[in-house]
Amino acid sequence: MKQILLFGRDGQVAYELRRTLASLGRVTVAARDGLGPCADLADPDQVRSVIRDTRPDIVVNAAAYTAVDAAEADAETAMAINGIAPGIMAEEASQIGAWLIHYSTDYVFDGSALSPYQETDATAPLGVYGQSKLAGEQAIAASGVAHLILRTAWVYGARGRNFLATIQRLAREREQLRIVNDQIGAPTWSRSIAEATSQILAQGALTPDYLRAHQGIYHLTCQGQCTWYEFARAIVEAMDPAERRANVIEPIATAEFPTPAKRPAYSVLSNKKLSQAFGITLPDWRDALSLCLEDLSPKGHS
């Protein structure tokens, strides 16, 4: 049985991975909450000791510093968790012959593209968060470990703080919402990410050299594209009218909603490489959203 070490417990993707990875082997979860092996990613010694003690066959890093705006004032912590820790994981995994699966972000790009980003396109992060995630990618690639770096974007799910949860809450509290309509991306359900990851690993179980033969960076997002405004409208329109106050959703420009960190104006990622290598295609973002909302609804649990 494969030994899988998962960094992250209750994050959107980590929560789903705890379930999808269970069919592939014995999953040990390392997190900061003390419910398993303690692993504060800002502490290099803890990261090293967890891997050395566990000696996994596969390391999956679903933990990250994701507070994009806070990172602008806390670059040291963001870099420690997103940039340095993945490099340490890669070094330790390489020494024991383990695979490393790591998640990255559309924020490694500047958003100036006019067509979906390819994995080979030049990176140019606009802020600290993107810079720290790019540093993590580079550290992994330089380590020599057999690895997959899965870049995703606009992640939401049933747990944690994310756009879906925020819009549902605001729609219950306010009569009018003002949402940015000039940033474009592909909303991606955390469960879709976890399921695709497990499908890749299941294919890799057939041969020890599989991952090394396919290693590198892959884009992993749902299909289609929309603006944050369009995503918000889809969320609100799916809500029970009796449960929401919002009846007006106003599109606004990014300039009308200033934030400490700059966001890429265009975050659509091409998934062609993923499909060609693994035969995996994530659903359209609208279909994934419907499935997520169905899962969240009380009827979905009856």
Side-chain angles (χ1 to χ4, degrees):
M1 177 178 287
K2 293 286 187 184
Q3 299 294 318
I4 303 171
L5 176 60
L6 172 63
F7 283 92
R9 178 183 294 279
D10 294 321
Q12 298 177 83
V13 177
Y15 174 77
E16 300 290 352
L17 282 167
R18 284 163 54 192
R19 286 148 180 77
T20 63
L21 293 175
S23 63
L24 301 176
R26 182 178 182 273
V27 181
T28 299
V29 180
R32 296 180 62 183
D33 56 18
L35 298 178
C38 187
D40 181 350
L41 266 62
D43 185 339
D45 291 336
Q46 286 193 23
V47 176
R48 290 188 190 280
S49 65
V50 167
I51 295 176
R52 291 177 182 179
D53 293 345
T54 309
R55 297 192 65 81
D57 300 296
I58 304 168
V59 178
V60 181
N61 181 31
Y65 184 109
T66 57
V68 175
D69 290 321
E72 294 299 309
D74 193 14
E76 184 176 353
T77 304
M79 187 59 70
I81 294 173
N82 294 342
I84 297 173
I88 294 171
M89 292 178 196
E91 292 172 6
E92 294 295 326
S94 180
Q95 289 181 13
I96 59 176
W99 297 351
L100 175 63
I101 313 300
H102 175 75
Y103 299 93
S104 193
T105 175
D106 58 302
Y107 277 71
V108 300
F109 298 114
D110 64 9
S112 62
L114 300 176
S115 60
Y117 278 102
Q118 309 286 331
E119 289 82 354
T120 53
D121 286 340
T123 53
L126 298 175
V128 170
Y129 170 69
Q131 291 164 5
S132 69
K133 293 295 287 185
L134 180 59
E137 290 187 9
Q138 293 169 338
I140 291 169
S143 73
V145 71
H147 68 275
L148 292 180
I149 296 170
L150 304 175
R151 288 182 185 148
T152 189
W154 290 30
V155 180
Y156 68 92
R159 297 171 67 88
R161 291 181 295 177
N162 57 68
F163 190 78
L164 169 61
T166 298
I167 293 300
Q168 288 181 323
R169 175 177 58 80
L170 293 176
R172 295 185 186 103
E173 297 173 354
R174 304 179 184 179
E175 293 183 357
Q176 181 176 354
L177 306 182
R178 303 176 73 245
I179 309 296
V180 169
N181 194 38
D182 56 2
Q183 293 175 25
I184 301 171
T188 303
W189 187 18
S190 55
R191 185 173 299 173
S192 297
I193 296 170
E195 289 176 345
T197 302
S198 296
Q199 288 172 28
I200 292 170
L201 291 176
Q203 294 179 29
L206 300 176
T207 168
D209 297 325
Y210 180 87
L211 192 62
R212 190 170 292 281
H214 291 80
Q215 70 179 345
I217 297 172
Y218 293 86
H219 291 166
L220 178 65
T221 62
C222 282
Q223 302 303 301
Q225 65 181 52
C226 64
T227 66
W228 289 115
Y229 164 76
E230 291 168 332
F231 187 23
R233 278 196 59 179
I235 293 168
V236 174
E237 289 173 357
M239 294 177 68
D240 185 335
E243 295 182 357
R244 60 176 167 89
R245 294 182 62 198
N247 52 35
V248 176
I249 307 175
E250 179 185 351
I252 63 171
T254 297
E256 297 178 68
F257 189 73
T259 56
K262 292 183 178 179
R263 267 72 173 168
Y266 184 84
S267 288
V268 182
L269 307 180
S270 170
N271 292 277
K272 184 177 180 180
K273 181 182 175 183
L274 180 85
S275 176
Q276 291 177 336
F278 304 110
I280 294 171
T281 301
L282 272 62
D284 184 88
W285 72 266
R286 299 171 189 82
D287 296 332
L289 176 61
S290 294
L291 288 170
C292 179
L293 293 175
E294 182 179 322
D295 193 60
L296 279 171
S297 112
K299 294 179 181 178
H301 298 283
S302 60

